[in-house]
Amino acid sequence: MLVISALRKTYGQLTALDGLDLTVNPGEILALLGPNGAGKSTTVKCLVGLLRPDAGVIKVDGVDALRDPRARRLIGYLPEVARLHDTLTPWEFLLLKGRLFDLDDGAICERAERLLDGFGILDRRDEPMVAFSKGMLQKVSISAALLTDPKLLVFDEPLSGLDVTTAQIVKQLMREFAERGGAVLHCSHLLDIVEHSADRIAILDRGKLLAEGSAAQLRERAGATEGARLDQVFRSLVQASDPAAAARIILG
């Protein structure tokens, strides 16, 4: 569903992506991990059209995402920090997005009602979002990502701001989306969630793919025991500093 080949992006003298190769198959949830500055955000922005890479190929369901605007219709994107038009109501916002994607008003209204009802905010559909909590805005943002009936979900920290019940709904939503033949690229720092929800895990470091595989395969590569936590495996693979030592330095 998603094929990224030899992707390269620089910012002046800084190389953010250095020949990245990555795939996400239909029916699969791939978790994309990495320390700050590893290239995760740059990868996602190139994928959804917010950045132009210096070199490389990105294809979504066989469509060239760097040259063919039809690829945008295949992607449901949830940014880490969603900036909504908060003077609009959820209904107006979803109607606007649907029309920008050339959807029929009837289809927009049918999907919007189903989405808002599923997230328990249909009764708030006509209220301006300026007074909405972070969790409610996240629900609207996820609804907007799903509105166009995409084939690939690109979710960046999708559980941010959500209560426990809604977080469980979103985790199940990603799994069922994949089971129906879609693909999910899930960016997160919540490693305990990633370990139990992702089929494969890809770890970026300094713009390159450092490691890829199931949680068990990553443990094996790191030389960790079977029961080792994923955060311990992650720190080992990226050669991160000891968090206890860093905390003592910060506190003095």
Side-chain angles (χ1 to χ4, degrees), residues 52-180:
R52 187 79 179 176
D54 301 323
V57 175
I58 301 175
K59 290 189 177 181
V60 180
D61 197 27
V63 180
D64 189 336
L66 300 179
R67 294 176 174 82
D68 193 334
R70 291 178 301 170
R72 305 290 175 266
R73 301 173 184 272
L74 304 174
I75 302 171
Y77 174 46
L78 175 72
E80 181 177 4
V81 179
R83 293 177 174 85
L84 305 181
H85 301 279
D86 58 12
T87 57
L88 298 180
T89 68
W91 194 261
E92 290 170 337
F93 179 71
L94 294 177
L95 189 62
L96 172 62
K97 174 164 185 182
R99 287 175 175 174
L100 288 173
F101 278 76
D102 295 326
L103 296 180
D104 176 80
D105 278 7
I108 298 171
C109 293
E110 180 182 353
R111 295 177 189 179
E113 183 170 356
R114 169 174 52 82
L115 291 162
L116 296 178
D117 185 40
F119 281 115
I121 54 173
L122 185 59
D123 59 336
R124 311 290 294 273
R125 54 174 275 181
D126 296 318
E127 297 181 20
M129 294 185 289
V130 65
F132 278 18
S133 67
K134 178 176 174 57
M136 290 180 63
L137 292 174
Q138 189 76 343
K139 293 178 183 181
V140 177
S141 299
I142 297 172
S143 297
L146 295 166
L147 181 69
T148 58
D149 196 20
K151 292 189 175 183
L152 170 68
L153 295 182
V154 180
F155 276 7
D156 196 347
E157 300 292 356
L159 306 186
S160 177
L162 297 180
D163 57 66
V164 173
T165 300
T166 308
Q168 291 174 336
I169 291 173
V170 173
K171 286 186 286 184
Q172 185 61 31
L173 182 156
M174 290 191 292
R175 173 50 56 196
E176 292 202 14
F177 182 87
E179 290 177 352
R180 295 183 185 189

Side-chain angles (χ1 to χ4, degrees), residues 2-7 20-23 43 47 57-59 185:
L2 171 64
V3 178
I4 296 175
S5 303
L7 197 65
L20 176 64
D21 295 322
L22 194 67
T23 61
T43 300
L47 168 59
V57 175
I58 301 175
K59 290 189 177 181
L185 180 64

